[in-house]
Amino acid sequence: MAAQGNDETATDVSAPEQAGITPPPAFAQCRSCHSSEPGKHLIGPSLAGIYGTKAGDVAGFNFSPALKDSGLVWDDATLDAYIKAPRQIVPGTRMTYPGLKNDTQRAQVVAYLKSI
């Protein structure tokens, strides 16, 4: 049975989508915890504008010490590795997602993150 209450996330169109930037199908998994709206944090931080930034450095979100201290910068290689196996790349991360194993889907998600 579906939860009752505000179901805006199912019908909301994000700012990137309003601008004609369409997320790849694999990003649907990310949306359960992350927003592509700047400053709109859910269980996880907003992913808008993270490309090229230091991991654990999004204003208004409380990151795990492991991610804050990781020294990572979100570039193609780092995002690819982290999305594939978050807990292997940053032991102690709060991100419980097991990872996206499909190389093509990961590349599409990384390309989308670069665009938002």
Side-chain angles (χ1 to χ4, degrees):
M1 176 177 246
Q4 293 186 6
N6 185 348
D7 65 349
E8 285 182 15
T9 56
T11 58
D12 276 353
V13 176
S14 70
E17 289 175 67
Q18 289 174 356
I21 302 168
T22 305
F27 191 74
Q29 297 172 43
C30 307
R31 276 194 169 153
S32 62
C33 295
H34 297 279
S35 169
S36 57
E37 296 281 334
K40 183 179 179 182
H41 305 304
L42 304 174
I43 293 168
S46 167
L47 297 177
I50 63 149
Y51 190 86
T53 66
K54 182 180 176 222
D57 196 25
V58 172
F61 191 81
N62 184 25
F63 290 91
S64 67
L67 194 61
K68 284 193 267 188
D69 296 339
S70 70
L72 298 175
V73 173
W74 298 126
D75 59 18
D76 287 41
T78 304
L79 282 166
D80 181 66
Y82 189 75
I83 294 168
K84 182 176 183 178
R87 287 183 249 160
Q88 286 181 357
I89 300 303
V90 181
T93 184
R94 290 186 194 133
M95 188 155 138
T96 59
Y97 180 67
L100 180 59
K101 305 307 179 206
N102 182 288
D103 294 342
T104 301
Q105 290 176 337
R106 268 195 332 277
Q108 292 168 347
V109 169
V110 170
Y112 176 66
L113 293 175
K114 286 172 71 170
S115 74
I116 60 172

